[in-house]
Amino acid sequence: MRTSRLATVVPLLFFLGACGSVSSTTGAGGSSGGTGTTSTGGTAGGVGAAGTTGAGGVGSVGAGGTTGAGGTTGAAGAVGGVGGSLAGSGGVGTGGSAGMAGGAGSPGTGGQGGAAGLSGSAGTGGGAASCGNLIDDMESGDGFICMGSGRMGYWYTYIDAATGSAIAPLPTTKPATPSATSPTRGDSHWAMHASGTFSSYAGIGCVLDATLGGTKQSYNAAGFTGVHFWAHGTAGMKLVLQAIGDETTGNGGTCTTTCYGSEYTLPGLSSSAWTEYMVPFTSVTGGTVSLMPSDLWSIEFDPVTPGPFDIWIDDLSFY
């Protein structure tokens, strides 16, 4: 757009210059040409070189007043000035700085907050080899054992059907969920807890390879030496390990007669202070079938003396 206007101005100046030269053929004395020097005013008006061209045309004019018309050429120089202003208006290109709004793309870095979602990968803690020796530290608070290393299961309670026998949590509550650790112990926040009164049997335990409502299976613990845990309670306590041959057919086992697991009574159990136990498989005996760690069904904890009881278990693992 700017080029076309200049193209228009230049021919106009050329034309006016030509007219000046015609006047010089008819003009009178050169002294009148002196007044023609007022065309220098055109020099002031014209920023463009075209104004200079007009001055050149005046120099060649010997005539008088007609040359003064060349001063009008100076006005044409003012047109050149307009052209300059148009060029200046090109400066509105600074509006291109609005392109800096592209910087708004930087909020995309906020999307990096999504990377925090990678913490969700922590949920893979139930991975194939994530549990190691740990069976359950109860810290999930949901009543399920650590799922991994070939194990998955949940906690449950049981009680005889005698009049007056009762247990909490109820046997119908599956999974049985942990309680706040009492008394406090190290970094532990949750522990399994069962209480009530019984006549012949009661307790709390966990299966090692089963889902809620699913088929129970035995777990191969032959690579371990025994079971490790912390405990305290009243009415005594015994560790009971069940194999498939100790479970009734109604529970998915193979036992069809009197069925009971292998046992080990915990020595030195405190009613209020946590005691650590490491019980080798070889010390757990007396079940319907001889205990075979390669055929481990469940791990249970029973009160010993009939009547009121209160038992606590924490940080259960193999060793």
Side-chain angles (χ1 to χ4, degrees):
M1 186 69 176
R2 181 173 57 191
T3 302
S4 63
R5 290 203 175 185
L6 289 177
T8 303
V9 171
V10 171
L12 176 61
L13 293 176
F14 179 80
F15 173 77
L16 290 175
C19 291
S21 63
V22 170
S23 296
S24 66
T25 58
T26 60
S31 58
S32 298
T35 61
T37 59
T38 59
S39 62
T40 57
T43 303
V47 176
T52 306
T53 303
V58 175
S60 63
V61 175
T66 305
T67 304
T72 306
T73 303
V79 175
V82 174
S85 66
L86 290 175
S89 67
V92 297
T94 58
S97 62
M100 295 172 61
S106 60
T109 60
Q112 292 178 0
L118 294 173
S119 60
S121 61
T124 61
S130 61
C131 296
N133 291 4
L134 179 67
I135 298 173
D136 193 11
D137 60 7
M138 296 80 179
E139 294 306 301
S140 65
D142 59 8
F144 290 95
I145 69 172
C146 182
M147 186 172 67
S149 302
R151 299 185 294 274
M152 60 180 177
Y154 56 90
W155 289 88
Y156 56 90
T157 62
Y158 45 93
I159 187 76
D160 61 55
T163 301
S165 292
I167 190 171
L170 294 173
T172 54
T173 302
K174 294 181 181 179
T177 54
S179 300
T181 305
S182 178
T184 57
R185 184 183 66 80
D187 294 331
S188 176
H189 296 91
W190 301 96
M192 297 310 301
H193 176 219
S195 61
T197 185
F198 77 104
S199 176
S200 58
Y201 68 87
I204 187 169
C206 62
V207 289
L208 299 175
D209 191 1
T211 57
L212 283 174
T215 302
K216 300 173 184 175
Q217 302 181 79
S218 57
Y219 172 73
N220 185 354
F224 302 104
T225 301
V227 180
H228 170 266
F229 55 91
W230 291 77
H232 75 82
T234 60
M237 192 186 306
K238 59 186 177 181
L239 168 67
V240 181
L241 301 182
Q242 302 257 19
I244 191 170
D246 301 321
E247 283 288 345
T248 64
T249 54
N251 284 332
T254 59
C255 180
T256 57
T257 58
T258 303
C259 307
Y260 44 88
S262 298
E263 303 176 352
Y264 175 79
T265 301
L266 305 182
L269 183 72
S270 171
S271 61
S272 59
W274 289 100
T275 302
E276 183 178 20
Y277 291 94
M278 297 181 71
V279 183
F281 292 133
T282 54
S283 296
V284 187
T285 59
T288 304
V289 297
S290 296
L291 178 65
M292 297 179 61
S294 60
D295 186 31
L296 195 58
W297 184 274
S298 63
I299 300 175
E300 299 177 343
F301 300 89
D302 294 5
V304 176
T305 306
F309 68 93
D310 187 86
I311 58 178
W312 291 79
I313 303 296
D314 198 10
D315 287 350
L316 176 63
S317 66
F318 290 115
Y319 74 92

